[in-house]
Amino acid sequence: MVVDVWCRLSGSFDYLAEASASTDLHLVQISDEPITLHYSAGQQVMDARGLAACLQVTPCDDEDGETCAMKYLRETTAVSWGNDDLWGAKFVLFTLD
């Protein structure tokens, strides 16, 4: 899972198939044009682009994009922000040149 500030990684989709070659990869981009993607074993298995499509994947009532993203990740990966799964997680810092 990548927590991507300012969509710097999620805005470059070329690496997603390679990055998911031996795992599942869930990407949620919170922006003016939200995106929810799921790759597994190097293949794209779900693609929702735009608010209407993303809300079909994870319906949200009166919630902001971050809350909907957290709900999607909880439902698809069982990882939750609420019980410290992510708040207490160890992160690896990646930087862009």
Side-chain angles (χ1 to χ4, degrees):
M1 176 183 321
V2 174
V3 177
D4 183 12
V5 180
W6 298 320
C7 304
R8 292 179 289 179
L9 293 174
S10 59
S12 175
F13 301 105
D14 296 339
Y15 74 96
L16 297 176
E18 181 181 343
S20 68
S22 62
T23 189
D24 277 292
L25 185 148
H26 294 271
L27 181 143
V28 178
Q29 177 175 296
I30 303 167
S31 65
D32 291 340
E33 185 70 14
I35 298 171
T36 303
L37 303 173
H38 177 202
Y39 282 73
S40 182
Q43 300 294 316
Q44 185 177 32
V45 294
M46 192 269 294
D47 182 337
R49 295 171 188 260
L51 183 59
C54 289
L55 288 176
Q56 287 181 2
V57 173
T58 306
C60 293
D61 294 324
D62 299 324
E63 298 182 44
D64 62 20
E66 290 176 351
T67 305
C68 290
M70 290 179 205
K71 180 179 176 186
Y72 167 78
L73 292 171
R74 183 176 58 247
E75 290 175 355
T76 57
T77 68
V79 172
S80 172
W81 292 89
N83 63 8
D84 290 334
D85 287 348
L86 291 177
W87 291 122
K90 303 252 188 271
F91 290 93
V92 174
L93 177 65
F94 292 92
T95 60
L96 300 175
D97 293 333

